[in-house]
Amino acid sequence: MAIRRAPSKAQVRREQMLAAVNYPLDWLEERSGLVGGVRYFLFRKVPSDTNWMQTLGSATLTAFIVQALTGVILAMYYKPSPHDAYASIQNITDHVTMGWLVRGMHKWGASVFIILLFLHMGRVFLFGAYKYPRELNWIVGVLLLVLGLTEGFTGYLLPWDQTAYWASVVGINLNGTAPFLGPWLAQFLRGGQEISGDTLSRFYSLHMLIIPGGIIALITLHLYLVIRLGVTSPPWSKEAAGREVVEEPAPVRTGLTRPAPHGGGRD
Amino acid sequence: MAEEKPTPLELRRAGFARYKKDVKERGKSFYPFAMFEDTVMSLVVVAVIVGLAVLWKWTSYGPHHDGLHKGVIGPEYAPPADPGTVSFVPRPDWYFYFLFYLLRIFKWPESVFLGTIGVPTIALILLLALPFMDVRLERRPSRRPVAMVAAVLTIMSMAILTWKGATAKEALASEVIADVPSWVKTEKLPAAAVPGAKLFATAGCTACHTYLGTGGSNLGAPDLTNIGTRNLGISFQIRHLECPSCVNPGSPMPKFASLGTARLRQLAIFLESSKGKQ
């Protein structure tokens, strides 16, 4: 017969602590289901043999978060008018405490972001991860690449120095060579016939409101699809999770560069 | 019982269902296993970004107290924008060099459109259409020779174009002006054309145009060595310089109206006198 003993003081304290931690989580879960969502995200299964190359996507996201945070801080000091822009950039880079670090991270983080976008795309191509059922996510990724490059183009003008100014004059003129929409697009980007303060505020608005908004929306969709469809395993995987394509009969072809496959297929 | 051959779509669905089942049974939990690798990589990325910022600051402004100093990876900023001077070489950020250099290959007016819009649009359409062009299930690189060759060729051409764009020679006004006497001699320019020639050398024209082998050949700009043989006329040249896209719709050339009519006339005289090697 089990003897029911009164719980010790330590046990009571422990249970009170657990209840205190769980109460707000339960409250949130009951009203939103968010705790379950986060739990699903963290403890979902991924193939057991994922590759280091598959960290490039989250690395790109990290670079974007760095751009977003440093961008917000820069926006507190930057003045988007032709008269003040250059001086405010000088002030941020040479006088504001740690301003050089924030602007330096934003300036060089842009290049890192673009490089990572291309590397991540290369990895997805190498793994054939754009194939059924992930076609839509590839398209979202291509749009993210385009928006990322547009961020680079619009951000380049903001320091309002000679490099920025003349690269943008020519860049906008090049947009203008497109048929039908080109002249309209160039006119829209300039906000008139000439590059002016209107151009600068337009680029500023595109650079820090519209395009990043679009990027955030598309990243959300991108991640949703990754979680819904699952992470692909390396195509050379010996693990079961890599076998999603093995049913397709391997082409039995022999030639100078391809010896006859042993037994006609993998595994 | 005759068994029907499964359709490609059925094969794919079955493959994906098998993948889902396998991952569920034999996969690992995202946290902490995959997330550990993601975290390490993200920390590396942030460290690289901070490292670049430090290198940039402490080789430019740091020792020199001058943000214009070039440092190891570039100055903090160029001189302030000045729409009046046009002697600056237009140069985009490095990741646009491949597009920038395409315009050295495609020249105004016949094919510049291919460089500005044609090739990038085709590349974008191919990228978007990729999953619908390559519908085979096979994912192993060794069994996708066409895709792998296409990828290597794309990477190589973008790398070469970026490299060529990065190392493209810039025509500096101070160096170009030294060539003016030889231009006068070679093209037998009249005295009236000399002020225009000096202006041509210093006003930034050679950032994009070439003249007797000097200059940048950027952005699809044509060679102007014998532009005078086309007899376009002084007034046309002036109108064109004031607003290139008004005369040639779609021209990417900047407006030079800020030089003023008198100087534009000098430039026009020089251009009209340039009849090639005499």
Side-chain angles (χ1 to χ4, degrees):
Chain A
M1 271 262 211
I3 302 160
R4 182 174 290 178
R5 270 190 296 181
S8 71
K9 238 184 189 170
Q11 260 177 321
V12 172
R13 268 247 294 280
R14 210 181 119 92
E15 258 160 47
Q16 281 173 336
M17 285 278 284
L18 264 177
V21 171
N22 278 335
Y23 182 80
L25 288 177
D26 290 342
W27 188 94
L28 189 65
E29 173 66 9
E30 192 183 342
R31 283 157 186 80
S32 67
L34 278 176
V35 178
V38 170
R39 182 174 299 169
Y40 176 79
F41 170 75
L42 287 178
F43 299 104
R44 79 203 143 98
K45 288 286 174 40
V46 296
S48 57
D49 57 351
T50 52
N51 188 286
W52 272 92
M53 276 192 267
Q54 284 167 288
T55 61
L56 287 167
S58 63
T60 315
L61 175 63
T62 302
F64 177 74
I65 292 171
V66 167
Q67 292 306 96
L69 294 180
T70 52
V72 166
I73 299 172
L74 287 176
M76 294 173 183
Y77 294 90
Y78 175 73
K79 298 187 176 63
S81 83
H83 188 68
D84 302 321
Y86 188 75
S88 72
I89 287 289
Q90 277 185 316
N91 182 43
I92 290 167
T93 329
D94 299 335
H95 303 295
V96 174
T97 310
M98 301 293 267
W100 64 269
L101 182 63
V102 176
R103 184 171 164 239
M105 285 178 74
H106 198 73
K107 179 182 162 70
W108 294 102
S111 291
V112 171
F113 178 57
I114 300 282
I115 291 174
L116 286 169
L117 276 172
F118 276 106
L119 288 179
H120 175 52
M121 190 168 82
R123 196 281 296 170
V124 170
F125 187 89
L126 181 71
F127 278 32
Y130 52 86
K131 299 188 175 207
Y132 177 88
R134 301 185 177 86
E135 299 97 325
L136 183 61
N137 219 10
W138 169 268
I139 291 173
V140 173
V142 172
L143 296 179
L144 278 168
L145 176 71
V146 172
L147 285 186
L149 288 170
T150 322
E151 274 293 79
F153 177 65
T154 49
Y156 203 57
L157 176 67
L158 302 185
W160 203 249
D161 59 10
Q162 284 282 64
T163 321
Y165 184 85
W166 290 106
S168 300
V169 167
V170 173
I172 293 173
N173 284 350
L174 289 179
N175 277 309
T177 63
F180 312 119
L181 281 181
W184 176 86
L185 180 65
Q187 179 90 3
F188 167 76
L189 285 173
R190 273 193 297 258
Q193 285 299 323
E194 307 290 337
I195 284 208
S196 64
D198 290 340
T199 321
L200 185 57
S201 40
R202 245 158 232 242
F203 272 48
Y204 187 54
S205 161
L206 288 170
H207 183 76
M208 63 168 268
L209 292 170
I210 304 168
I211 305 171
I215 290 181
I216 290 169
L218 286 179
I219 287 178
T220 309
L221 181 57
H222 204 63
L223 289 179
Y224 166 75
L225 288 173
V226 168
I227 294 164
R228 182 186 162 85
L229 301 172
V231 174
T232 43
S233 48
W236 45 82
S237 172
K238 294 270 185 286
E239 280 293 313
R243 286 197 293 110
E244 62 190 288
V245 298
V246 93
E247 289 303 302
E248 190 185 29
V252 184
R253 268 187 289 162
T254 55
L256 287 174
T257 57
R258 197 203 309 269
H262 330 283
R266 238 161 23 114
D267 297 46
Chain B
M1 277 202 295
E3 247 186 71
E4 270 188 60
K5 220 176 158 230
T7 65
L9 186 61
E10 283 167 347
L11 268 179
R12 275 179 227 168
R13 285 185 179 147
F16 187 61
R18 199 163 47 248
Y19 156 83
K20 277 282 190 194
K21 188 165 161 284
D22 285 343
V23 171
K24 201 171 176 186
E25 285 169 3
R26 306 186 45 191
K28 63 187 176 189
S29 172
F30 173 71
Y31 173 88
F33 303 107
M35 202 168 161
F36 169 74
E37 294 177 351
D38 281 332
T39 309
V40 171
M41 189 58 126
S42 289
L43 289 175
V44 171
V45 166
V46 174
V48 167
I49 294 174
V50 171
L52 284 168
V54 170
L55 181 66
W56 170 70
K57 173 72 181 180
W58 294 107
T59 58
S60 166
Y61 189 85
H64 302 280
H65 288 275
D66 172 16
L68 297 172
H69 193 274
K70 265 204 132 168
V72 175
I73 49 175
E76 288 186 345
Y77 30 73
D82 180 1
T85 62
V86 270
S87 60
F88 208 81
V89 182
R91 200 167 247 283
D93 215 347
W94 69 268
Y95 41 82
F96 286 116
Y97 281 175
F98 71 101
L99 289 176
F100 173 72
Y101 201 80
L102 269 183
L103 297 175
R104 285 201 171 196
I105 298 168
F106 299 105
K107 289 286 171 190
W108 178 265
E110 299 82 16
S111 61
V112 73
F113 166 74
L114 283 176
T116 54
I117 306 297
V119 174
T121 305
I122 291 168
L124 184 62
I125 290 173
L126 286 177
L127 269 184
L128 287 171
L130 172 69
F132 307 104
M133 297 188 300
D134 179 13
V135 290
R136 288 171 60 219
L137 288 174
E138 182 58 66
R139 294 203 292 119
R140 282 165 287 180
S142 57
R143 309 245 172 147
R144 292 158 61 213
V146 177
M148 289 303 124
V149 169
V152 169
L153 289 179
T154 307
I155 292 169
M156 270 170 51
S157 47
M158 282 188 65
I160 290 172
L161 287 172
T162 302
W163 175 250
K164 297 285 269 182
T167 53
K169 212 175 100 225
E170 289 182 359
L172 298 173
S174 55
E175 292 169 14
V176 178
I177 189 87
D179 288 340
V180 170
S182 82
W183 291 353
V184 172
K185 225 166 115 188
T186 317
E187 299 232 357
K188 298 219 166 25
L189 296 176
V194 175
K198 287 182 176 157
L199 205 52
F200 182 83
T202 51
C205 308
T206 51
C208 296
H209 291 280
T210 48
Y211 192 90
L212 285 171
T214 305
S217 186
N218 279 320
L219 303 166
D223 176 60
L224 298 178
T225 307
N226 46 24
I227 182 73
T229 56
R230 292 174 62 191
N231 291 316
L232 295 164
I234 303 279
S235 67
F236 173 87
Q237 291 291 5
I238 294 176
R239 271 188 295 129
H240 179 260
L241 288 163
E242 278 174 342
C243 179
S245 61
C246 306
V247 183
N248 281 330
S251 166
M253 179 169 149
K255 295 170 184 175
F256 284 74
S258 63
L259 288 174
T261 319
R263 290 202 283 174
L264 289 183
R265 176 167 291 278
Q266 294 177 339
L267 264 178
I269 293 170
F270 163 69
L271 291 172
E272 282 301 293
S273 318
S274 299
K275 309 276 187 193
K277 281 182 192 169
Q278 301 289 317

